[in-house]
Amino acid sequence: MRFMMIVKATTDSEAGVIPSQELIDAMQKYNEELVKAGVLLAADGLQPTSSGIRISYPEPGEKPKVMDGPFTESKELIAGYTLIEVKSREEAIEWALRMPDPHGYGQGEIELRQVYEAEDFMDNPETLAKEVTLRKQVAEQKKAW
Amino acid sequence: MTLSETHRTIDAIWRMESAKLIASLTRMIQDVGIAEDLAQDALVIALERWPEIGIPDNPGAWLMTTAKRRAIDLMRRTKRRDQKYLEIARGMDLYKEEDVDHALEGEIGDDLLRLIFMTCHPVLSQDARVALTLRLLCGLTTDEIARSFLVAESTIAQRVVRAKRTLRAEKVPFEVPAGEQRDKRLSAVLEVIYLMFNEGYSATSGDDWIRPLLCQEALRLGRVLSEIVPQEPEVYGLVALMEIQSSRLKTRVSATGEPILLMDQNRAKWDRLLIRRGIAALKRSQELGSTLGPYALQAAISACHAEAPTAAETDWIRIAALYEALSRVTPSPIVELNRAVAISMAFGPSYGLEIVDELSAEPSLKGYHLLPSVRGDLLVKLGRFDEAHTEFERAASMTRNYREKELLQNRAHECES
């Protein structure tokens, strides 16, 4: 089963402050551990929300509202994620516990979420057909480049 | 934490740490059976103590220290105050609980590699290699292994015990062989991993969750191996092959359990992340080796399918070329038959038929139902329905699989009208 370890944003990450060398080293070591154990699927850090865009639908059926960052309420924002493949929920928790405190200053927070498997919601044939068309278009665009 | 929660956590930690524990202990004791017992002892102690004292901050180091203490106790009891004992005693000084990880860095990978070379040793039968590897490297229980192979737990338990006995009797050393021997043994390791993977992949029966478990374990082990021996193109080739094949795990069987052929699978359900990882591993393999090995070639064929947005857009010319390369590296009538299919898709059925006809004299394919089945298919495409009819009938009489037989009879019937 797959889990996403979501690292929440902090005032520092939102301000674009580069983490200390110590933290960078610790994170790198941790990621290497995940790779060596064969559980890491993907990991990325996100730029602050000052360069983010938010699209919302305050009126159902109406046009969406597009808003430029930065966004406030930093506890709700995310700064990065790590995707792992593990055998159990407990193993995911154990891995998350081994991640270094991502920020310090009492602000570090990691949220662990299980990923839906494709079959959980992809059984609708119409959705599937659309997905095929979409991927075909993407592939054609790639060829055109 | 409740007791059962703690136990589940300990299970998870065991799975994460057991291979490393057993590998380190085997290096000290030089006996994989005793090493596993010692690691198990440490697990039992953890199960007793952790519910009371809580999960330690560094559970891996805790288990390692505990197991090593047991190792020394054992040595004392058996009064083997020899070189080996001194070595362990020295080791104990080195591995303080808090810096076990640090002290072992660099060595752990080597120990794991020695362990996998041991569990995949040619003195063991293929079945024994797979069972022992799942047990010692993947931390699976005998029950889990038994369920994934649809055999009784006692069968697996016996297989594992016998394998460990054989390793002891044959004095198989805990080492990475050198030179030419290394290459040979490494391909034996890859074979075990791929066998494990295929066991999970090809099965369409059995427990729903346990079969994918075999695929996942094989893939995980392959990824681990690629980190330990990062210069081996075929290791990446195998990882690439397994990543890409895993991307189709959920689409190859219908809701009613019937196998779905690659061309008919729903590509929207293929796992794009695994495909991307597979293609990256394949690229790595290509960068490392001057020519592609058999796993990398199969991965490249698999990648062709993965990259085609629809079945109709499959690059058959490339696939035919890759099969030709594969048949040069590992010549086999089965590869030839596959090449025939690719050739017919790329250049037309008559070209495929030429290859198939050459194969019809092949003794090893006698009784192989896919030969007449493929031939029948090509004949249909050429409009030679009478001959096709005979081929499908022949193929139907050769297969013991009921569903397949029915399908082939239907195809034969279609040729009549």
Side-chain angles (χ1 to χ4, degrees):
Chain A
M1 49 183 86
R2 280 181 195 177
F3 280 84
M4 187 178 267
M5 299 191 270
I6 301 165
V7 172
K8 294 296 188 69
T10 63
T11 36
D12 266 5
S13 76
E14 275 298 282
V17 176
I18 292 167
S20 68
Q21 192 57 44
E22 201 187 344
L23 180 58
I24 292 175
D25 292 346
M27 273 295 178
Q28 198 173 346
K29 186 166 176 285
Y30 173 70
N31 279 338
E32 276 167 21
E33 232 180 286
L34 291 175
V35 174
K36 278 184 194 151
V39 296
L40 182 75
L41 291 178
D44 284 303
L46 306 181
Q47 293 186 10
T49 62
S50 53
S51 62
I53 302 110
R54 190 174 272 178
I55 293 139
S56 59
Y57 296 85
E59 299 297 330
E62 297 292 313
K63 276 193 173 176
K65 215 174 101 191
V66 179
M67 217 169 78
D68 282 327
F71 311 120
T72 46
E73 78 276 347
S74 71
K75 277 275 165 199
E76 305 293 319
L77 306 174
I78 69 172
Y81 70 89
T82 301
L83 198 60
I84 55 172
E85 175 91 58
V86 292
K87 199 176 146 202
S88 65
R89 180 186 157 80
E90 285 73 20
E91 194 187 334
I93 297 172
E94 196 51 37
W95 278 117
L97 282 170
R98 292 183 188 191
M99 186 190 271
D101 173 352
H103 294 291
Y105 315 113
Q107 287 195 20
E109 191 173 302
I110 303 162
E111 190 171 303
L112 202 53
R113 304 276 295 270
Q114 189 171 352
V115 177
Y116 274 121
E117 304 291 337
E119 68 211 20
D120 293 340
F121 56 91
M122 289 283 278
D123 275 339
N124 180 345
E126 219 170 285
T127 323
L128 289 171
K130 276 182 195 152
E131 171 89 17
V132 173
T133 324
L134 183 71
R135 275 210 341 275
K136 229 178 131 173
Q137 282 167 355
V138 172
E140 266 159 26
Q141 274 164 15
K142 267 192 200 158
K143 268 183 222 158
W145 292 336
Chain B
M1 234 188 247
T2 68
L3 191 62
S4 69
E5 273 171 354
T6 309
H7 281 178
R8 281 204 301 272
T9 301
I10 296 173
D11 266 358
I13 291 169
W14 173 253
R15 173 181 148 78
M16 292 159 76
E17 304 294 342
S18 64
K20 288 190 261 178
L21 269 178
I22 294 167
S24 295
L25 291 164
T26 310
R27 173 160 48 83
M28 304 170 105
I29 306 278
Q30 296 291 320
D31 183 303
V32 74
I34 298 175
E36 196 201 359
D37 289 345
L38 289 168
Q40 288 281 353
D41 286 350
L43 174 68
V44 170
I45 297 170
L47 283 167
E48 278 167 16
R49 302 218 30 217
W50 291 1
E52 274 173 51
I53 61 167
I55 310 276
D57 286 344
N58 189 339
W62 194 100
L63 287 168
M64 190 75 90
T65 308
T66 306
K68 274 172 187 165
R69 284 201 190 113
R70 302 282 300 182
I72 289 171
D73 285 350
L74 179 79
M75 286 299 187
R76 283 195 182 127
R77 274 208 307 281
T78 52
K79 299 213 192 313
R80 285 177 59 191
R81 292 169 175 279
D82 52 9
Q83 195 57 33
K84 224 179 252 176
Y85 167 61
L86 285 174
E87 230 171 77
I88 294 171
R90 266 204 304 274
M92 273 309 283
D93 290 339
L94 209 74
Y95 306 134
K96 290 268 159 26
E97 198 158 333
E98 53 277 13
D99 58 18
V100 147
D101 278 349
H102 182 69
L104 286 178
E105 225 166 272
E107 280 180 36
I108 262 301
D110 297 342
D111 282 344
L112 282 176
L113 187 60
R114 291 184 189 112
L115 185 62
I116 195 169
F117 270 115
M118 202 174 202
T119 60
C120 298
H121 197 279
V123 296
L124 302 174
S125 72
Q126 207 62 274
D127 281 352
R129 291 181 214 175
V130 171
L132 199 61
T133 305
L134 282 170
R135 172 100 186 128
L136 300 185
L137 268 311
C138 305
L140 257 53
T141 62
T142 40
D143 173 53
E144 284 171 324
I145 303 170
R147 286 168 71 178
S148 46
F149 286 96
L150 306 173
V151 294
E153 192 182 343
S154 57
T155 311
I156 294 295
Q158 248 176 19
R159 202 175 282 172
V160 168
V161 168
R162 249 188 254 133
K164 287 191 284 199
R165 207 183 293 148
T166 307
L167 289 175
R168 193 176 307 149
E170 299 283 331
K171 295 198 170 57
V172 169
F174 185 66
E175 63 175 24
V176 175
E180 209 176 293
Q181 196 59 23
R182 184 181 183 275
D183 294 344
K184 221 187 242 167
R185 292 278 305 282
L186 185 62
S187 50
V189 170
L190 298 184
E191 203 182 320
V192 168
I193 296 177
Y194 194 44
L195 208 73
M196 207 188 269
F197 182 85
N198 268 326
E199 190 62 41
Y201 196 76
S202 54
T204 49
S205 60
D207 286 340
D208 278 350
W209 62 275
I210 203 95
R211 291 280 180 162
L213 183 66
L214 277 185
C215 292
Q216 271 164 30
E217 285 307 320
L219 184 48
R220 194 174 66 86
L221 201 53
R223 289 175 186 153
V224 169
L225 192 63
S226 71
E227 282 298 307
I228 305 175
V229 285
Q231 298 306 323
E232 296 291 340
E234 270 295 81
V235 176
Y236 284 100
L238 176 60
V239 170
L241 180 60
M242 293 192 295
E243 299 265 18
I244 298 175
Q245 288 191 335
S246 295
S247 75
R248 301 172 199 144
L249 258 176
K250 283 159 190 146
T251 55
R252 78 208 198 295
V253 181
S254 75
T256 50
E258 283 151 86
I260 304 174
L261 296 175
L262 184 60
M263 289 298 115
D264 303 328
Q265 284 175 17
N266 192 329
R267 292 174 186 233
K269 278 177 146 186
W270 287 356
D271 189 323
R272 315 310 300 178
L273 178 62
L274 293 182
I275 291 174
R276 215 158 54 229
R277 292 181 58 89
I279 288 170
L282 180 59
K283 210 172 145 226
R284 182 101 183 92
S285 174
Q286 284 164 336
E287 285 161 2
L288 287 171
S290 47
T291 52
L292 293 186
Y295 290 117
L297 282 167
Q298 290 175 75
I301 292 167
S302 216
C304 279
H305 292 297
E307 283 177 320
T310 62
E313 287 162 279
T314 309
D315 186 351
W316 287 107
I317 295 176
R318 185 170 159 75
I319 293 178
L322 287 166
Y323 268 120
E324 193 175 332
L326 185 62
S327 75
R328 243 178 276 145
V329 185
T330 49
S332 110
I334 308 266
V335 174
E336 266 312 273
L337 189 60
N338 277 303
R339 188 169 78 88
V341 174
I343 290 275
S344 77
M345 295 298 281
F347 306 109
S350 58
Y351 296 97
L353 191 61
E354 267 175 43
I355 302 170
V356 174
D357 286 345
E358 277 168 35
L359 282 172
S360 54
E362 179 61 47
S364 65
L365 289 184
K366 206 159 231 138
Y368 186 59
H369 71 279
L370 282 183
L371 181 65
S373 164
V374 166
R375 191 161 190 275
D377 194 54
L378 296 175
L379 289 166
V380 166
K381 283 178 181 155
L382 291 167
R384 290 155 64 177
F385 296 107
D386 284 350
E387 290 163 86
H389 180 266
T390 320
E391 291 294 345
F392 285 132
E393 285 282 330
R394 211 153 67 87
S397 71
M398 283 173 175
T399 177
R400 260 171 284 171
N401 182 309
Y402 176 73
R403 270 194 181 127
E404 225 161 14
K405 193 187 273 294
E406 205 178 42
L407 190 91
L408 288 163
Q409 279 165 346
N410 280 345
R411 294 212 63 183
H413 187 70
E414 280 165 19
C415 293
E416 287 163 15
S417 50

